[in-house]
Amino acid sequence: MIIKQKGTIDIYGDETKKRIYVNDLIRIICEKYNYGYIETPVFEASELFHRGIGDSTDIVSKETYDFKDRGGRDITLRPEGTAGVCRWFIENKMYGNLTEPVKVYYNEKMYRYDRPQLGRYRELTQFGVEFIGADDVLADIDVIGIAYHTYCLFGLKNVTIKINTLGDDEARKNYKEALLEYLIPYKDSLCNDCKKRLEKNPLRVLDCKIDCDSEILKNAPYTIDYLNDVSLERYNTLKEYLELMDINFVEDPRLVRGLDYYNHVVFEIVADVPVMGNLALGGGGRYNGLIEKLGGPKVPAVGFAMGYDRTIMAMDYSGVNFDLKTNLDVYIMYVSNCEKETASFLTQELRLNGFITETDYLDKSLKGQFKSADRMNAKYLVILNDGDLNEMLVNVKDNLTKEEEKVNINNLVEYLEGHM
Ligand code: HAM
């Protein structure tokens, strides 16, 4: 038997319905915030992610699916959406005529060779937004606002945005130096990966999954203490806006996030989920240097992404009503094979007229068909029998009140429209 790969999941039945429910809400909220839908390829040149996300990050050094295609090109399955959107932005010279910022959202499969566990997969789905072309704190608020409101719309309670700032390039550089100076005396106590991180990129030590709870990291310097005046003022303005918008946030002075491209605000969305406790469901931040790093002009940008898998799990545990029932408008049933042709015609006719319609494909008895209609919560039953059909009539039964009426087959659509 061939089985699915480790860290992948089949999505069907109720799980599909939950995703459709989430997708619909995402589409509605993105329309309100004026984000347009974008799809970028599943695979890109490896260099895009290696350069964009950073070679010293865990995502790139341990988790990317890298391979050579049959033409000998270095290819990577996308581990996240931001770098691909930036590549699209640069390749299509979207910056050439930037009268308005570019606001896009995606809903895509990502691939990370992660250690699979509950809510963590190797093939995962992310919803993300990217807001490109504005450096104003208003743009940060737009993105944090959509992240926060999406989770509230999902029905999750106790949603908190954890925020921090890395400051501009100068502040980030100052902090990096201070952190290195602080960590060097502890080098021998750090895990082997962190010893290497220390040389390549000390910031990455802060999101080490092994050392994260150690006293050494708990006492590490705060980014906020190394901000210059401009970065500090920007951060304070952001907090004022968040308060004004009534967005529930807390400051986490050591939040740096696991991707290298951030500066200024970084944030994570955490929900207090029954049984599971605090779950980090998504994150993002400002990345003013990424487009330039990928070969484009200097264009500021900010964005966020959430994982579907963890979010739906959190919604499940929080008792969100996903509306999983199949709700048919009409179930067409037939007494014998003589009415099958009419059943087939009517099913199609009603569907084309906008009714969610189903019929029997398994030659079930009438009793069996009644049971199927009930299982699918059909509002109306249309029962066909030879005798009535000869007079152009069908029996229409309201499946809730059990009232039944004979209706001329040519008036069926009108009748149902009048009763739904
Ligand atoms: P990220 O924090 O790497 O950020 O991923 C965002 C979210 O994807 C996580 O919070 C988590 O919910 C989900 N996720 C990550 N890895 C897995 C996994 N192995 N299994 C299930 N879910 C997972 C980014 O990807 C950035 N591109 C976000 C961003 C957009 N920043 C700016 N714009």
Side-chain angles (χ1 to χ4, degrees), residues 47-54 80-87 90 130 132 169 259-263 286-301:
E47 194 190 350
L48 174 68
F49 301 113
H50 287 239
R51 198 179 339 152
I53 301 169
E80 57 103 55
T82 314
V85 168
C86 290
R87 194 265 312 135
I90 299 165
E130 310 297 345
I132 307 176
D169 289 348
L259 305 100
D260 256 354
Y261 46 61
Y262 294 115
N263 49 27
R286 179 160 281 284
Y287 52 95
N288 283 354
L290 180 59
I291 292 174
E292 196 178 22
K293 197 171 176 187
L294 292 174
K298 193 160 177 49
V299 181

Side-chain angles (χ1 to χ4, degrees), residues 59 79-82 106 112 114 119-122 124 126 129-130 257 259 261-262 280-285 287 302-307 309-310:
I59 297 180
E80 57 103 55
T82 314
Y106 45 85
R112 295 185 186 185
D114 223 331
R120 188 180 289 279
Y121 302 100
R122 290 183 176 168
L124 56 130
Q126 272 189 354
V129 309
E130 310 297 345
R257 308 229 343 104
L259 305 100
Y261 46 61
Y262 294 115
L281 302 177
Y287 52 95
V302 54
F304 107 97
M306 65 152 228
D309 312 284
R310 258 174 249 177

